């Protein structure tokens, strides 16, 4: 996967091959949390999301996962069949640009260092958590842009 950042946004292209090997009957859960860096430590914010059945939600046009990320896959049929829990599944991106802007945010102004932490976990048929979660984070600066 290639990622390039410029004033127009985050440009994404290429592909990613999954190395996660879970049973296709496993349920994948996705959790996203936004944290703010304040005085030397990362503090939680009110911006959090839990998607208990991610493989179903990732191609639901009403979900933000689809709107901002998964609508850009070239191999949607394969992804819907295998999700990304099958080792060797290739996620093929159509090139796209993410414009990371928030509009109409109520509350205190957002400014400074933030990070988004995404955690994927697999659960078997008995709803027991599998031992190999996948986690990544993206860190950046937030500033108010005048229109």
């Amino acid at each position: 996967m290639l990622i390039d950042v410029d004033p127009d946004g985050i440009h994404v292209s290429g592909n990613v091959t999954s190395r996660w090997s879970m049973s296709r009957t496993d349920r994948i859960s996705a959790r996203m949390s936004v944290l703010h860096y304040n005085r030397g430590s990362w503090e939680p914010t009110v911006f959090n999301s839990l998607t208990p059945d991610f493989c179903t939600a990732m191609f639901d046009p009403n979900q933000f996962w689809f709107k901002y990320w998964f609508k850009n896959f070239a191999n949607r049929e394969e992804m819907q069949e295998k999700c990304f829990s099958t080792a060797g599944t290739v996620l093929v991106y159509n090139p796209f640009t993410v414009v990371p802007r928030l509009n109409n945010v109520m509350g205190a102004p957002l400014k400074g260092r933030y990070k988004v932490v995404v955690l994927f976990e697999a659960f078997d048929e008995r709803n027991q958590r599998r031992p190999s979660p996948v986690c990544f984070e993206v860190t950046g600066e937030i500033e108010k842009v005048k229109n």
Side-chain angles (χ1 to χ4, degrees):
M1 175 168 66
L2 301 171
I3 297 175
D4 184 41
V5 180
D6 67 22
D8 294 329
I10 303 166
H11 306 279
V12 180
S13 62
N15 60 48
V16 174
T17 302
S18 175
R19 295 179 60 197
W20 209 21
S21 184
M22 300 294 157
S23 171
R24 185 57 194 111
T25 59
D26 284 358
R27 176 180 58 84
I28 306 297
S29 168
R31 182 180 307 271
M32 182 175 67
S33 300
V34 178
L35 295 102
H36 177 239
Y37 192 74
N38 186 29
R39 299 181 183 186
S41 63
W42 290 103
E43 299 176 347
T45 69
V46 297
F47 303 105
N48 296 284
S49 173
L50 172 63
T51 306
D53 188 356
F54 183 77
C55 293
T56 299
M58 65 194 270
F59 289 108
D60 179 346
N62 297 315
Q63 299 287 325
F64 75 91
W65 296 105
F66 178 79
K67 289 179 185 178
Y68 300 107
W69 199 259
F70 286 95
K71 73 177 181 181
N72 299 296
F73 281 103
N75 61 333
R76 181 175 174 166
E77 294 78 23
E78 179 182 8
M79 290 298 303
Q80 284 180 304
E81 177 187 334
K82 297 180 180 178
C83 197
F84 57 86
S85 61
T86 305
T89 301
V90 179
L91 293 72
V92 180
Y93 294 100
N94 290 318
F96 67 102
T97 302
V98 177
V99 180
R101 293 187 187 224
L102 299 173
N103 296 312
N104 302 319
V105 175
M106 304 293 281
L110 301 173
K111 185 177 181 182
R113 288 178 64 188
Y114 285 82
K115 72 177 175 180
V116 176
V117 178
V118 179
L119 174 67
F120 294 103
E121 295 178 292
F123 295 84
D124 66 17
E125 292 97 0
R126 296 183 317 268
N127 207 31
Q128 297 295 311
R129 182 180 284 117
R130 297 280 189 189
S132 301
V134 173
C135 182
F136 66 90
E137 61 184 56
V138 178
T139 305
E141 293 280 332
I142 293 181
E143 64 183 46
K144 184 172 183 174
V145 178
K146 294 181 183 183
N147 292 336

